[in-house]
Amino acid sequence: MKNRILFIAMLAFAAFVNISCDDESTEGMTRITYYAQLSLEGDKTLYVDKGAEFVDPGYSAIMEGEDVTDMVKVSSNVNTAKSGVYSISYSIVNNDGFYSTASRTVIVTDPNDPVEGLYGTDPEKSYRLYGGETPYGASFDILILNNGDGTYSVDDLLGGWYCQRAGYGTDYAMEGTISVDADGNITLINSYVPGWGDSATGITNGKVVDGTINWTVEYTDTPLIFVVKMYKK
């Protein structure tokens, strides 16, 4: 009987010690932290004409029901004097040191450049040739920027087939560089698909005419042929 009483007492003491330890381990810890709700006004991707003034559409932040917009820190490298892709970052930190962040992309293009700009692929006249013609079926955005040395950067020579149509992401866009002569004829300088580590075999029928671009890309030894027609937006 004494042994049983001793055993019960030992269990009670162990439970007390565990509870005490747990209390000590959580003492001083923050149980709840309130993050700021950071919101952007306007689109997350904005297009601006080269040389025009850029005005941020705005942003706001709410924390624990209070407006804390004035606590938001903004970092930007936007330069409308030069064509390019720029970014704006927004951040706010709460009392416990946790950040809420947001970002916006700003694309600057020259409306007077006959080649540079944002294009949309023709859904029916753009197609892949591989065991028959398969139209793109939708319009995808393609960005072409003047490099300032007589060449242009293209963010996807395949017209968005893998990157946007198949949903593989930007690693499967065929980025590249082209040149355009006085008659609008296009020559491929280089190309590369990061996701697969390969490039185009070549481009034929490349032409720029009044805001319309056409080219045919031969890709891999199979071969896969991509006939792309785009209109400047």
Side-chain angles (χ1 to χ4, degrees):
M1 182 66 176
K2 290 182 179 179
N3 290 339
R4 184 178 179 185
I5 293 173
L6 179 61
F7 179 72
I8 293 173
M10 291 176 64
L11 286 178
F13 177 77
F16 172 79
V17 170
N18 285 337
I19 292 172
S20 298
C21 290
D22 287 343
D23 287 343
E24 290 176 2
S25 65
T26 59
E27 185 176 352
M29 291 181 64
T30 302
R31 294 180 179 275
I32 299 176
T33 187
Y34 294 94
Y35 287 83
Q37 297 177 337
L38 182 56
S39 303
L40 299 183
E41 297 178 18
D43 296 331
K44 292 193 69 175
T45 300
L46 300 174
Y47 296 89
V48 182
D49 287 346
K50 183 178 178 180
E53 180 184 4
F54 171 70
V55 178
D56 194 310
Y59 52 89
S60 62
I62 301 295
M63 186 159 54
E64 295 187 69
E66 296 185 8
D67 187 336
V68 290
T69 302
D70 59 349
M71 293 174 57
V72 176
K73 303 297 183 183
V74 181
S75 176
S76 170
N77 66 349
V78 175
N79 177 12
T80 61
K82 183 179 180 181
S83 297
V85 180
Y86 302 95
S87 62
I88 307 175
S89 299
Y90 310 82
S91 65
I92 182 171
V93 61
N94 69 3
N95 294 330
D96 296 314
F98 293 100
Y99 282 85
S100 295
T101 61
S103 63
R104 198 192 307 271
T105 299
V106 178
I107 299 174
V108 178
T109 59
D110 186 351
N112 298 315
D113 190 304
V115 180
E116 181 175 86
L118 181 69
Y119 289 78
T121 54
D122 187 306
E124 300 305 323
K125 294 182 180 179
S126 298
Y127 58 89
R128 186 184 71 171
L129 184 59
Y130 177 65
E133 293 185 7
T134 304
Y136 277 51
S139 183
F140 304 110
D141 288 346
I142 306 299
L143 181 64
I144 301 178
L145 292 174
N146 193 328
N147 293 322
D149 59 0
T151 67
Y152 292 86
S153 294
V154 183
D155 68 357
D156 192 356
L157 291 162
L158 298 180
W161 182 274
Y162 294 112
C163 171
Q164 299 177 64
R165 185 181 189 275
Y168 292 174
T170 55
D171 280 349
Y172 296 90
M174 181 182 284
E175 54 196 50
T177 306
I178 60 173
S179 64
V180 182
D181 67 19
D183 295 321
N185 297 305
I186 296 173
T187 300
L188 178 66
I189 297 175
N190 58 58
S191 65
Y192 187 61
V193 181
W196 286 309
D198 54 16
S199 58
T201 304
I203 279 185
T204 58
N205 305 318
K207 191 78 173 180
V208 180
V209 180
D210 297 330
T212 299
I213 289 182
N214 298 276
W215 60 51
T216 299
V217 177
E218 185 173 313
Y219 179 42
T220 75
D221 296 331
T222 304
L224 296 173
I225 305 296
F226 294 86
V227 178
V228 180
K229 184 170 186 175
M230 304 182 291
Y231 302 98
K232 184 179 284 191
K233 290 189 170 183

